[in-house]
Amino acid sequence: MKLYLDPGHGGSDSGASGNGLLEKNINLDIALRIRNTLVNSYENVEVLMSRTTDTTKSLQQRTDEANAWGADYFLSIHCNSFNGAAQGYEDYIHSNLSDSSLTASYQDILHTEVTRVNQLTNRGQKKANFHVLRESSMPALLTENGFIDNAQDANLMMQSTWRQTVAQGHVNGIAIAFNLQPKQNDTDILYKVIAGSFQSRDNAEERVAYLSGRGIDSFIGTVTISGELWYRVQAGAFSTRDSAEARLEEVQNAGVTDAYIVTEQKLTIVQTAVSN
């Protein structure tokens, strides 16, 4: 999946301003977090950004670049402003598109995921004739992440944790829309040191007692292999293989020659706190 990621404004064009903030800086910070989270967390993702620093780039340059690159999706990150009283989040697709279009379906998904976490008033899904939506040849979405001239929204924008949460909401939507697969890495794996596997629980308990007498803590777990129940003596679980191998060597030096390492996928439960 090829994402063209466009932090709105930049350089001589600061965008909106308010409460000591410049839109161009907020847009860039959120976009960089989107890029980093996507490429670090998902397989087969390429991200090309219209800018990665505070540089000036025309709207035509942005859409020309995305079209020439053959992007699968164009995502433009912005903040809003009005009269200081307006607040909240909204996003846009091009005004000529129907609600049943592919672009609209992507909007549905991203809107749901962003508003789930961003703590902003939901101003809805909208359509407009913005250049980046009109001139991009791929599905495109422009998100307006709060009103920079509103004190309540601006207070959130000032917080790096909020900007990361908003970035994650965008990432979650993209991952669902394009069926992205998470990367598997060492942080997703547990390395378990097994100090013996027995069909008799008594034998497993003897091994636990043997290890305890040599200063090594362990416990008995069970696993079913080919329909048969086995009692495994586990002497540690580690996030890195180096740590597991160090424990394995300790167990083997204690006289347990049939010890080994097994790898298992961690079960991760993610909880998202949503403020109303």
Side-chain angles (χ1 to χ4, degrees):
M1 183 266 182
K2 298 172 70 173
L3 172 68
Y4 189 86
L5 184 55
D6 174 38
H9 308 286
S12 60
D13 176 13
S14 62
S17 62
N19 296 288
L21 301 173
L22 296 179
E23 181 190 356
K24 65 177 182 178
N25 296 332
I26 302 299
N27 297 344
L28 180 59
D29 185 88
I30 293 173
L32 288 170
R33 293 171 186 272
I34 292 172
R35 181 197 66 181
N36 294 343
T37 304
L38 272 174
V39 300
N40 290 331
S41 302
Y42 292 94
E43 301 283 0
N44 302 317
V45 179
E46 296 179 67
V47 179
L48 178 62
M49 295 183 65
S50 60
R51 63 185 182 95
T52 56
T53 59
D54 185 20
T55 54
T56 304
K57 197 166 194 175
S58 72
L59 295 176
Q60 192 65 53
Q61 286 176 312
R62 298 173 198 233
T63 51
D64 285 351
E65 189 173 66
N67 294 340
W69 186 51
D72 297 306
Y73 198 49
F74 189 112
L75 177 61
S76 191
I77 305 300
H78 286 259
C79 302
N80 229 327
S81 68
F82 185 55
N83 61 0
Q87 61 186 119
Y89 169 86
E90 59 196 25
D91 47 46
Y92 292 84
I93 61 174
H94 191 256
S95 50
N96 285 349
L97 293 168
S98 73
D99 292 340
S100 60
S101 66
L102 179 61
T103 300
S105 70
Y106 289 159
Q107 182 186 28
D108 291 343
I109 294 169
L110 268 81
H111 185 90
T112 297
E113 295 305 313
V114 174
T115 57
R116 192 192 304 277
V117 300
N118 68 2
Q119 304 174 55
L120 295 172
T121 301
N122 185 351
R123 296 172 58 88
Q125 299 171 235
K126 302 183 178 183
K127 298 179 182 181
N129 188 31
F130 298 145
H131 174 96
V132 295
L133 303 179
R134 182 183 66 250
E135 300 300 325
S136 52
S137 59
M138 69 292 302
L141 181 73
L142 185 146
T143 65
E144 294 278 8
N145 296 278
F147 282 74
I148 203 167
D149 59 346
N150 176 272
Q152 184 175 327
D153 285 7
N155 182 60
L156 291 172
M157 293 178 194
M158 294 175 189
Q159 303 172 30
S160 61
T161 52
W162 180 84
R163 298 193 301 271
Q164 180 62 42
T165 297
V166 168
Q168 186 66 60
H170 285 75
V171 168
N172 293 346
I174 292 168
I176 294 170
F178 290 90
N179 193 29
L180 300 182
Q181 300 303 305
K183 283 185 175 180
Q184 303 298 326
N185 52 52
D186 284 347
T187 61
D188 301 318
I189 295 172
L190 278 179
Y191 298 91
K192 296 183 177 181
V193 177
I194 305 302
S197 187
F198 309 90
Q199 288 188 288
S200 164
R201 187 177 182 90
D202 288 344
N203 291 341
E205 290 175 348
E206 288 179 9
R207 179 60 56 85
V208 169
Y210 176 87
L211 289 170
S212 179
R214 286 152 182 79
I216 300 174
D217 292 331
S218 62
F219 66 91
I220 299 171
T222 59
V223 62
T224 301
I225 302 174
S226 300
E228 295 185 339
L229 182 66
W230 291 78
Y231 298 93
R232 295 198 315 195
V233 177
Q234 183 174 317
F238 305 89
S239 295
T240 66
R241 189 169 188 95
D242 286 347
S243 297
E245 288 177 348
R247 173 56 61 86
L248 177 63
E249 183 177 359
E250 182 183 356
V251 171
Q252 291 174 334
N253 288 340
V256 179
T257 58
D258 59 343
Y260 58 95
I261 294 173
V262 297
T263 59
E264 293 184 6
Q265 197 73 25
K266 288 182 182 178
L267 176 62
T268 303
I269 300 175
V270 178
Q271 294 182 327
T272 302
V274 179
S275 299
N276 295 318

